[in-house]
Amino acid sequence: MKDKSHQPHRPVGPAMMNGLRLRCPACGKGAMFGAYLKVNEHCPECGEELWHHRADDAPPYMVITIVGHIVVPLLLAVEMALHPAVWIHLIVWLPMTLLLSLLLLPPVKGALIAYQWALHMHGFDPTDSEREALPPSRQIDAVPAGKRS
């Protein structure tokens, strides 16, 4: 395991709260996302590099878990209390599941990226072998024209 004592301390809680608010984990002011789920390469306020994140499939899995723990108990409670027709279940629970999933995905992804940033995970650690020197938008420019496929 790498010695991370030389790195500045980054408090996890405040960073994750900034991520939940879709803000930069470092300053809490700049927008983390340039579009719905497109992470900015740099914070527009403080310039913190954000392209190092490796959120991948973790945010959707977390959202599925959260939404499932909200919708399933409600569905079961309504079924046990009122016994509505199946079509009523469909028009209530399917849209609720979709809306909750779409609403929760950006904050969950923001919190996960902030968690990675706070713990110096992946490329957020300057000494990590996974660290990319250039953001994705600049990596194409760094490849010689004859080497592009």
Side-chain angles (χ1 to χ4, degrees), residues 86-135:
V86 172
W87 68 270
I88 293 176
H89 279 301
L90 291 174
I91 64 170
V92 171
W93 305 114
L94 289 179
M96 180 185 288
T97 301
L98 178 64
L99 286 173
L100 278 173
S101 298
L102 292 174
L103 289 173
L104 288 174
L105 196 51
V108 168
K109 182 174 181 176
L112 180 71
I113 292 169
Y115 181 76
Q116 292 176 358
W117 174 85
L119 296 182
H120 301 275
M121 294 172 70
H122 307 297
F124 290 116
D125 176 1
T127 64
D128 195 334
S129 62
E130 292 181 5
R131 183 178 175 89
E132 297 169 350
L134 296 173

CSV table of all heavy atoms in Angstrom, one decimal, residues 86-135:
chain,number,residue,atom,x,y,z
A,86,VAL,N,-53.6,-4.0,-10.9
A,86,VAL,CA,-52.2,-4.0,-11.4
A,86,VAL,C,-52.0,-2.7,-12.2
A,86,VAL,O,-50.9,-2.1,-12.1
A,86,VAL,CB,-52.0,-5.2,-12.2
A,86,VAL,CG1,-50.6,-5.2,-12.9
A,86,VAL,CG2,-52.1,-6.5,-11.4
A,87,TRP,N,-52.9,-2.3,-13.0
A,87,TRP,CA,-52.7,-1.1,-13.9
A,87,TRP,C,-52.4,0.2,-13.0
A,87,TRP,O,-51.7,1.0,-13.4
A,87,TRP,CB,-53.8,-0.9,-14.8
A,87,TRP,CG,-55.2,-0.5,-14.2
A,87,TRP,CD1,-56.1,-1.3,-13.8
A,87,TRP,CD2,-55.6,0.9,-14.0
A,87,TRP,NE1,-57.2,-0.6,-13.3
A,87,TRP,CE2,-56.9,0.8,-13.4
A,87,TRP,CE3,-55.0,2.1,-14.2
A,87,TRP,CZ2,-57.6,1.9,-13.0
A,87,TRP,CZ3,-55.8,3.2,-13.8
A,87,TRP,CH2,-57.0,3.1,-13.2
A,88,ILE,N,-53.0,0.2,-11.8
A,88,ILE,CA,-52.8,1.4,-10.9
A,88,ILE,C,-51.3,1.3,-10.4
A,88,ILE,O,-50.6,2.3,-10.4
A,88,ILE,CB,-53.8,1.4,-9.8
A,88,ILE,CG1,-55.2,1.7,-10.4
A,88,ILE,CG2,-53.4,2.4,-8.7
A,88,ILE,CD1,-56.3,1.7,-9.4
A,89,HIS,N,-50.9,0.1,-10.1
A,89,HIS,CA,-49.5,-0.1,-9.7
A,89,HIS,C,-48.6,0.4,-10.8
A,89,HIS,O,-47.6,1.1,-10.5
A,89,HIS,CB,-49.2,-1.5,-9.4
A,89,HIS,CG,-49.6,-2.0,-8.0
A,89,HIS,ND1,-49.1,-1.4,-6.8
A,89,HIS,CD2,-50.4,-3.0,-7.6
A,89,HIS,CE1,-49.6,-2.0,-5.8
A,89,HIS,NE2,-50.4,-3.0,-6.2
A,90,LEU,N,-48.9,0.0,-12.0
A,90,LEU,CA,-48.0,0.4,-13.1
A,90,LEU,C,-47.9,1.9,-13.4
A,90,LEU,O,-46.9,2.4,-13.6
A,90,LEU,CB,-48.5,-0.3,-14.4
A,90,LEU,CG,-48.3,-1.8,-14.5
A,90,LEU,CD1,-49.0,-2.4,-15.7
A,90,LEU,CD2,-46.9,-2.2,-14.4
A,91,ILE,N,-49.1,2.6,-13.3
A,91,ILE,CA,-49.1,4.0,-13.6
A,91,ILE,C,-48.5,4.8,-12.4
A,91,ILE,O,-48.1,6.0,-12.6
A,91,ILE,CB,-50.4,4.6,-14.0
A,91,ILE,CG1,-51.5,4.4,-12.9
A,91,ILE,CG2,-50.9,3.9,-15.2
A,91,ILE,CD1,-52.8,5.2,-13.1
A,92,VAL,N,-48.4,4.2,-11.2
A,92,VAL,CA,-47.8,4.9,-10.1
A,92,VAL,C,-46.3,4.6,-9.9
A,92,VAL,O,-45.5,5.5,-9.9
A,92,VAL,CB,-48.6,4.5,-8.8
A,92,VAL,CG1,-47.8,5.1,-7.5
A,92,VAL,CG2,-50.0,5.1,-8.8
A,93,TRP,N,-46.0,3.3,-9.9
A,93,TRP,CA,-44.6,2.9,-9.5
A,93,TRP,C,-43.6,3.0,-10.6
A,93,TRP,O,-42.4,3.3,-10.4
A,93,TRP,CB,-44.6,1.5,-8.9
A,93,TRP,CG,-45.6,1.5,-7.7
A,93,TRP,CD1,-46.8,0.7,-7.7
A,93,TRP,CD2,-45.5,2.2,-6.5
A,93,TRP,NE1,-47.4,1.0,-6.5
A,93,TRP,CE2,-46.7,1.9,-5.7
A,93,TRP,CE3,-44.6,3.1,-6.0
A,93,TRP,CZ2,-46.9,2.4,-4.5
A,93,TRP,CZ3,-44.9,3.7,-4.7
A,93,TRP,CH2,-46.0,3.3,-4.0
A,94,LEU,N,-44.0,2.7,-11.9
A,94,LEU,CA,-43.0,2.8,-13.0
A,94,LEU,C,-42.5,4.3,-13.2
A,94,LEU,O,-41.3,4.5,-13.2
A,94,LEU,CB,-43.6,2.2,-14.2
A,94,LEU,CG,-43.8,0.7,-14.3
A,94,LEU,CD1,-44.4,0.3,-15.6
A,94,LEU,CD2,-42.4,0.0,-14.1
A,95,PRO,N,-43.4,5.2,-13.3
A,95,PRO,CA,-42.9,6.6,-13.4
A,95,PRO,C,-42.2,7.1,-12.1
A,95,PRO,O,-41.1,7.8,-12.3
A,95,PRO,CB,-44.2,7.5,-13.6
A,95,PRO,CG,-45.2,6.5,-14.0
A,95,PRO,CD,-44.9,5.2,-13.4
A,96,MET,N,-42.6,6.7,-10.9
A,96,MET,CA,-41.9,7.0,-9.7
A,96,MET,C,-40.5,6.5,-9.8
A,96,MET,O,-39.5,7.2,-9.4
A,96,MET,CB,-42.6,6.6,-8.5
A,96,MET,CG,-41.9,7.0,-7.2
A,96,MET,SD,-42.6,6.4,-5.7
A,96,MET,CE,-44.1,7.4,-5.6
A,97,THR,N,-40.3,5.2,-10.2
A,97,THR,CA,-39.0,4.6,-10.2
A,97,THR,C,-38.1,5.3,-11.2
A,97,THR,O,-37.0,5.6,-11.0
A,97,THR,CB,-39.2,3.1,-10.6
A,97,THR,OG1,-40.0,2.5,-9.6
A,97,THR,CG2,-37.8,2.4,-10.7
A,98,LEU,N,-38.7,5.6,-12.4
A,98,LEU,CA,-37.9,6.3,-13.4
A,98,LEU,C,-37.5,7.7,-13.0
A,98,LEU,O,-36.3,8.1,-13.1
A,98,LEU,CB,-38.7,6.4,-14.7
A,98,LEU,CG,-38.1,7.1,-15.9
A,98,LEU,CD1,-36.8,6.4,-16.3
A,98,LEU,CD2,-39.0,7.3,-17.0
A,99,LEU,N,-38.4,8.5,-12.4
A,99,LEU,CA,-38.1,9.8,-12.0
A,99,LEU,C,-37.1,9.9,-10.8
A,99,LEU,O,-36.1,10.6,-10.9
A,99,LEU,CB,-39.4,10.6,-11.6
A,99,LEU,CG,-40.3,11.0,-12.7
A,99,LEU,CD1,-41.6,11.6,-12.2
A,99,LEU,CD2,-39.6,12.0,-13.6
A,100,LEU,N,-37.3,9.0,-9.9
A,100,LEU,CA,-36.3,8.9,-8.8
A,100,LEU,C,-34.9,8.6,-9.3
A,100,LEU,O,-33.9,9.1,-8.8
A,100,LEU,CB,-36.8,7.9,-7.7
A,100,LEU,CG,-37.8,8.3,-6.7
A,100,LEU,CD1,-38.2,7.2,-5.8
A,100,LEU,CD2,-37.2,9.4,-5.8
A,101,SER,N,-34.9,7.6,-10.2
A,101,SER,CA,-33.6,7.2,-10.7
A,101,SER,C,-32.9,8.3,-11.5
A,101,SER,O,-31.7,8.6,-11.3
A,101,SER,CB,-33.7,6.0,-11.7
A,101,SER,OG,-34.3,4.9,-11.0
A,102,LEU,N,-33.6,9.1,-12.3
A,102,LEU,CA,-33.1,10.2,-13.1
A,102,LEU,C,-32.7,11.3,-12.2
A,102,LEU,O,-31.7,12.0,-12.4
A,102,LEU,CB,-34.0,10.6,-14.1
A,102,LEU,CG,-34.3,9.6,-15.3
A,102,LEU,CD1,-35.4,10.1,-16.2
A,102,LEU,CD2,-33.0,9.3,-16.0
A,103,LEU,N,-33.4,11.6,-11.1
A,103,LEU,CA,-33.1,12.7,-10.2
A,103,LEU,C,-31.9,12.3,-9.3
A,103,LEU,O,-31.1,13.2,-8.9
A,103,LEU,CB,-34.3,13.0,-9.3
A,103,LEU,CG,-35.5,13.7,-10.0
A,103,LEU,CD1,-36.7,13.8,-9.1
A,103,LEU,CD2,-35.1,15.1,-10.5
A,104,LEU,N,-31.8,11.1,-8.9
A,104,LEU,CA,-30.7,10.7,-8.0
A,104,LEU,C,-29.4,10.4,-8.6
A,104,LEU,O,-28.3,10.5,-8.0
A,104,LEU,CB,-31.1,9.5,-7.2
A,104,LEU,CG,-32.2,9.7,-6.1
A,104,LEU,CD1,-32.6,8.4,-5.5
A,104,LEU,CD2,-31.7,10.7,-5.0
A,105,LEU,N,-29.4,10.1,-9.9
A,105,LEU,CA,-28.1,9.7,-10.5
A,105,LEU,C,-27.0,10.8,-10.5
A,105,LEU,O,-25.9,10.5,-10.1
A,105,LEU,CB,-28.4,9.3,-12.0
A,105,LEU,CG,-27.3,8.5,-12.7
A,105,LEU,CD1,-26.8,7.3,-11.8
A,105,LEU,CD2,-27.7,8.0,-14.0
A,106,PRO,N,-27.3,12.1,-10.9
A,106,PRO,CA,-26.2,13.1,-10.8
A,106,PRO,C,-25.7,13.3,-9.4
A,106,PRO,O,-24.5,13.3,-9.2
A,106,PRO,CB,-26.9,14.4,-11.4
A,106,PRO,CG,-28.0,13.8,-12.3
A,106,PRO,CD,-28.5,12.6,-11.6
A,107,PRO,N,-26.5,13.5,-8.4
A,107,PRO,CA,-26.0,13.7,-7.0
A,107,PRO,C,-25.1,12.5,-6.5
A,107,PRO,O,-24.1,12.7,-5.9
A,107,PRO,CB,-27.2,13.9,-6.1
A,107,PRO,CG,-28.3,14.2,-7.0
A,107,PRO,CD,-28.0,13.7,-8.3
A,108,VAL,N,-25.6,11.3,-6.8
A,108,VAL,CA,-24.9,10.1,-6.4
A,108,VAL,C,-23.5,10.0,-7.1
A,108,VAL,O,-22.5,9.7,-6.5
A,108,VAL,CB,-25.7,8.8,-6.6
A,108,VAL,CG1,-24.9,7.6,-6.4
A,108,VAL,CG2,-26.9,8.8,-5.6
A,109,LYS,N,-23.5,10.3,-8.4
A,109,LYS,CA,-22.3,10.3,-9.2
A,109,LYS,C,-21.3,11.4,-8.6
A,109,LYS,O,-20.1,11.2,-8.4
A,109,LYS,CB,-22.5,10.5,-10.6
A,109,LYS,CG,-21.2,10.5,-11.5
A,109,LYS,CD,-21.5,10.5,-13.0
A,109,LYS,CE,-20.2,10.5,-13.8
A,109,LYS,NZ,-20.5,10.4,-15.2
A,110,GLY,N,-21.9,12.6,-8.3
A,110,GLY,CA,-21.1,13.7,-7.7
A,110,GLY,C,-20.5,13.3,-6.4
A,110,GLY,O,-19.3,13.6,-6.2
A,111,ALA,N,-21.3,12.6,-5.6
A,111,ALA,CA,-20.7,12.2,-4.2
A,111,ALA,C,-19.6,11.2,-4.4
A,111,ALA,O,-18.6,11.2,-3.7
A,111,ALA,CB,-21.9,11.7,-3.4
A,112,LEU,N,-19.8,10.2,-5.3
A,112,LEU,CA,-18.8,9.2,-5.6
A,112,LEU,C,-17.5,9.8,-6.1
A,112,LEU,O,-16.4,9.4,-5.6
A,112,LEU,CB,-19.3,8.2,-6.5
A,112,LEU,CG,-18.4,7.0,-6.8
A,112,LEU,CD1,-18.2,6.1,-5.6
A,112,LEU,CD2,-18.8,6.2,-8.0
A,113,ILE,N,-17.6,10.8,-7.0
A,113,ILE,CA,-16.4,11.4,-7.5
A,113,ILE,C,-15.7,12.2,-6.4
A,113,ILE,O,-14.5,12.2,-6.3
A,113,ILE,CB,-16.8,12.3,-8.7
A,113,ILE,CG1,-17.2,11.5,-9.9
A,113,ILE,CG2,-15.6,13.2,-9.1
A,113,ILE,CD1,-17.8,12.2,-11.0
A,114,ALA,N,-16.5,12.9,-5.6
A,114,ALA,CA,-15.9,13.6,-4.5
A,114,ALA,C,-15.3,12.7,-3.5
A,114,ALA,O,-14.2,13.0,-2.9
A,114,ALA,CB,-17.0,14.4,-3.8
A,115,TYR,N,-15.8,11.5,-3.3
A,115,TYR,CA,-15.2,10.5,-2.4
A,115,TYR,C,-13.9,10.1,-2.9
A,115,TYR,O,-12.9,10.0,-2.2
A,115,TYR,CB,-16.2,9.3,-2.3
A,115,TYR,CG,-15.7,8.2,-1.4
A,115,TYR,CD1,-15.7,8.3,0.0
A,115,TYR,CD2,-15.2,7.0,-1.9
A,115,TYR,CE1,-15.3,7.3,0.8
A,115,TYR,CE2,-14.8,6.0,-1.1
A,115,TYR,CZ,-14.8,6.2,0.3
A,115,TYR,OH,-14.4,5.1,1.1
A,116,GLN,N,-13.8,9.8,-4.2
A,116,GLN,CA,-12.5,9.4,-4.9
A,116,GLN,C,-11.5,10.6,-4.7
A,116,GLN,O,-10.3,10.3,-4.5
A,116,GLN,CB,-12.8,9.1,-6.3
A,116,GLN,CG,-13.6,7.9,-6.6
A,116,GLN,CD,-13.8,7.6,-8.1
A,116,GLN,OE1,-13.5,8.4,-8.9
A,116,GLN,NE2,-14.5,6.5,-8.4
A,117,TRP,N,-12.0,11.8,-4.9
A,117,TRP,CA,-11.1,12.9,-4.8
A,117,TRP,C,-10.5,13.1,-3.4
A,117,TRP,O,-9.3,13.2,-3.2
A,117,TRP,CB,-11.8,14.2,-5.2
A,117,TRP,CG,-11.0,15.5,-5.0
A,117,TRP,CD1,-10.1,16.0,-5.9
A,117,TRP,CD2,-11.1,16.3,-3.8
A,117,TRP,NE1,-9.6,17.2,-5.3
A,117,TRP,CE2,-10.2,17.4,-4.1
A,117,TRP,CE3,-11.8,16.3,-2.7
A,117,TRP,CZ2,-10.0,18.4,-3.2
A,117,TRP,CZ3,-11.6,17.3,-1.7
A,117,TRP,CH2,-10.7,18.3,-2.0
A,118,ALA,N,-11.4,12.9,-2.4
A,118,ALA,CA,-11.0,13.1,-1.0
A,118,ALA,C,-10.0,12.1,-0.5
A,118,ALA,O,-9.1,12.3,0.2
A,118,ALA,CB,-12.2,13.1,-0.1
A,119,LEU,N,-10.1,10.9,-1.1
A,119,LEU,CA,-9.3,9.8,-0.7
A,119,LEU,C,-8.1,9.6,-1.6
A,119,LEU,O,-7.4,8.6,-1.5
A,119,LEU,CB,-10.0,8.5,-0.5
A,119,LEU,CG,-11.1,8.4,0.5
A,119,LEU,CD1,-11.8,7.1,0.6
A,119,LEU,CD2,-10.6,8.8,1.9
A,120,HIS,N,-7.9,10.5,-2.5
A,120,HIS,CA,-6.7,10.5,-3.5
A,120,HIS,C,-6.8,9.2,-4.3
A,120,HIS,O,-5.7,8.6,-4.5
A,120,HIS,CB,-5.4,10.6,-2.7
A,120,HIS,CG,-5.3,11.9,-2.0
A,120,HIS,ND1,-4.8,13.0,-2.5
A,120,HIS,CD2,-5.5,12.2,-0.7
A,120,HIS,CE1,-4.8,14.0,-1.6
A,120,HIS,NE2,-5.2,13.5,-0.5
A,121,MET,N,-7.9,8.8,-4.7
A,121,MET,CA,-8.1,7.5,-5.4
A,121,MET,C,-7.8,7.8,-6.9
A,121,MET,O,-8.0,8.8,-7.4
A,121,MET,CB,-9.5,6.9,-5.2
A,121,MET,CG,-9.8,6.5,-3.8
A,121,MET,SD,-11.5,6.0,-3.6
A,121,MET,CE,-11.6,4.5,-4.5
A,122,HIS,N,-7.4,6.7,-7.6
A,122,HIS,CA,-7.1,6.7,-9.0
A,122,HIS,C,-6.2,7.9,-9.4
A,122,HIS,O,-5.2,8.1,-8.8
A,122,HIS,CB,-8.4,6.7,-9.8
A,122,HIS,CG,-9.4,5.7,-9.3
A,122,HIS,ND1,-9.1,4.3,-9.5
A,122,HIS,CD2,-10.6,5.7,-8.7
A,122,HIS,CE1,-10.1,3.6,-9.0
A,122,HIS,NE2,-11.0,4.4,-8.5
A,123,GLY,N,-6.5,8.6,-10.4
A,123,GLY,CA,-5.7,9.7,-10.8
A,123,GLY,C,-5.7,10.9,-10.0
A,123,GLY,O,-4.9,11.9,-10.2
A,124,PHE,N,-6.5,11.0,-8.9
A,124,PHE,CA,-6.5,12.1,-8.0
A,124,PHE,C,-5.2,12.1,-7.1
A,124,PHE,O,-5.0,13.0,-6.4
A,124,PHE,CB,-7.7,12.1,-7.1
A,124,PHE,CG,-9.0,12.5,-7.9
A,124,PHE,CD1,-10.0,11.6,-8.0
A,124,PHE,CD2,-9.1,13.7,-8.5
A,124,PHE,CE1,-11.2,11.9,-8.7
A,124,PHE,CE2,-10.3,14.1,-9.2
A,124,PHE,CZ,-11.3,13.2,-9.4
A,125,ASP,N,-4.5,11.0,-7.2
A,125,ASP,CA,-3.2,10.9,-6.5
A,125,ASP,C,-2.1,11.2,-7.5
A,125,ASP,O,-1.9,10.4,-8.4
A,125,ASP,CB,-3.1,9.5,-5.9
A,125,ASP,CG,-1.7,9.2,-5.2
A,125,ASP,OD1,-0.9,10.2,-5.2
A,125,ASP,OD2,-1.5,8.1,-4.7
A,126,PRO,N,-1.3,12.3,-7.3
A,126,PRO,CA,-0.3,12.6,-8.3
A,126,PRO,C,0.8,11.5,-8.4
A,126,PRO,O,1.4,11.4,-9.5
A,126,PRO,CB,0.3,13.9,-7.7
A,126,PRO,CG,-0.6,14.4,-6.7
A,126,PRO,CD,-1.4,13.2,-6.2
A,127,THR,N,0.9,10.6,-7.4
A,127,THR,CA,1.9,9.6,-7.5
A,127,THR,C,1.4,8.3,-8.1
A,127,THR,O,2.2,7.3,-8.2
A,127,THR,CB,2.6,9.3,-6.1
A,127,THR,OG1,1.6,8.8,-5.3
A,127,THR,CG2,3.2,10.6,-5.6
A,128,ASP,N,0.1,8.2,-8.4
A,128,ASP,CA,-0.5,7.0,-8.9
A,128,ASP,C,-0.1,6.7,-10.3
A,128,ASP,O,-0.1,7.6,-11.2
A,128,ASP,CB,-2.0,7.1,-8.7
A,128,ASP,CG,-2.7,5.8,-8.8
A,128,ASP,OD1,-2.2,4.8,-9.5
A,128,ASP,OD2,-3.8,5.7,-8.3
A,129,SER,N,0.1,5.4,-10.6
A,129,SER,CA,0.5,5.0,-11.9
A,129,SER,C,-0.7,5.1,-12.9
A,129,SER,O,-0.5,5.2,-14.1
A,129,SER,CB,1.0,3.6,-11.9
A,129,SER,OG,0.0,2.7,-11.5
A,130,GLU,N,-1.9,5.2,-12.4
A,130,GLU,CA,-3.1,5.3,-13.2
A,130,GLU,C,-3.4,6.7,-13.6
A,130,GLU,O,-4.2,7.0,-14.5
A,130,GLU,CB,-4.4,4.8,-12.5
A,130,GLU,CG,-4.4,3.4,-12.2
A,130,GLU,CD,-5.7,3.0,-11.5
A,130,GLU,OE1,-6.6,3.8,-11.3
A,130,GLU,OE2,-5.9,1.8,-11.1
A,131,ARG,N,-2.6,7.7,-13.1
A,131,ARG,CA,-2.9,9.1,-13.3
A,131,ARG,C,-2.6,9.4,-14.8
A,131,ARG,O,-1.5,9.1,-15.3
A,131,ARG,CB,-2.0,10.0,-12.4
A,131,ARG,CG,-2.3,11.4,-12.6
A,131,ARG,CD,-1.4,12.3,-11.6
A,131,ARG,NE,-1.6,13.7,-11.9
A,131,ARG,CZ,-2.5,14.4,-11.3
A,131,ARG,NH1,-3.3,13.9,-10.5
A,131,ARG,NH2,-2.5,15.7,-11.6
A,132,GLU,N,-3.5,10.1,-15.4
A,132,GLU,CA,-3.3,10.5,-16.8
A,132,GLU,C,-2.8,12.0,-16.8
A,132,GLU,O,-3.4,12.8,-16.0
A,132,GLU,CB,-4.7,10.4,-17.6
A,132,GLU,CG,-5.2,9.0,-17.7
A,132,GLU,CD,-6.6,9.0,-18.2
A,132,GLU,OE1,-7.3,10.0,-18.3
A,132,GLU,OE2,-7.1,7.9,-18.5
A,133,ALA,N,-1.8,12.2,-17.6
A,133,ALA,CA,-1.2,13.6,-17.6
A,133,ALA,C,-2.1,14.6,-18.2
A,133,ALA,O,-2.1,15.8,-17.9
A,133,ALA,CB,0.1,13.5,-18.2
A,134,LEU,N,-2.9,14.2,-19.2
A,134,LEU,CA,-3.7,15.1,-20.0
A,134,LEU,C,-5.2,14.7,-19.8
A,134,LEU,O,-5.5,13.5,-19.7
A,134,LEU,CB,-3.4,15.0,-21.5
A,134,LEU,CG,-1.9,15.4,-21.8
A,134,LEU,CD1,-1.7,15.1,-23.3
A,134,LEU,CD2,-1.7,16.9,-21.6
A,135,PRO,N,-6.1,15.7,-19.9
A,135,PRO,CA,-7.5,15.4,-19.9
A,135,PRO,C,-7.9,14.7,-21.2
A,135,PRO,O,-7.2,14.8,-22.2
A,135,PRO,CB,-8.2,16.8,-19.7
A,135,PRO,CG,-7.2,17.7,-20.2
A,135,PRO,CD,-5.8,17.1,-19.9
